[in-house]
Amino acid sequence: MRDYAIHTLKNGIRVVHNTFLNWMPPRAGGSSSLMLAYDSAPVTNATVEDNWLAGGAYCLYPGGVTGSKNIVIKGNFFSTEYFAGCGFYGLNASTHWHYGNGDVWSQNVWANGRNAGHPVNP
């Protein structure tokens, strides 16, 4: 499995103003462009803001499993430069994102492609 960036610290990370690109599809080992990993514990107090994300099997794993809280995904640009859905399978936010417990998803947009400038919803 190859990811551009994996975060396993469970509390208090800020990922601001970066570019995360992962051209690799799943068959080549690509997993995500950015992953807030929740392998051993929920993710808490994390901010992902003003980043450019593209590629991987799924573009973003936002760490939103049961027990996760205060995860802010705000003002990011999701790119179609490798795959039409940002990641090979899409964003993945719909299965790994939960509103509540202080979680915020706002002002995220498609960076390019046919939906450029439109909101990206989890």
Side-chain angles (χ1 to χ4, degrees), residues 31-43:
S31 181
S32 68
S33 59
L34 177 63
M35 177 186 290
L36 300 180
Y38 44 82
D39 295 341
S40 61
V43 177

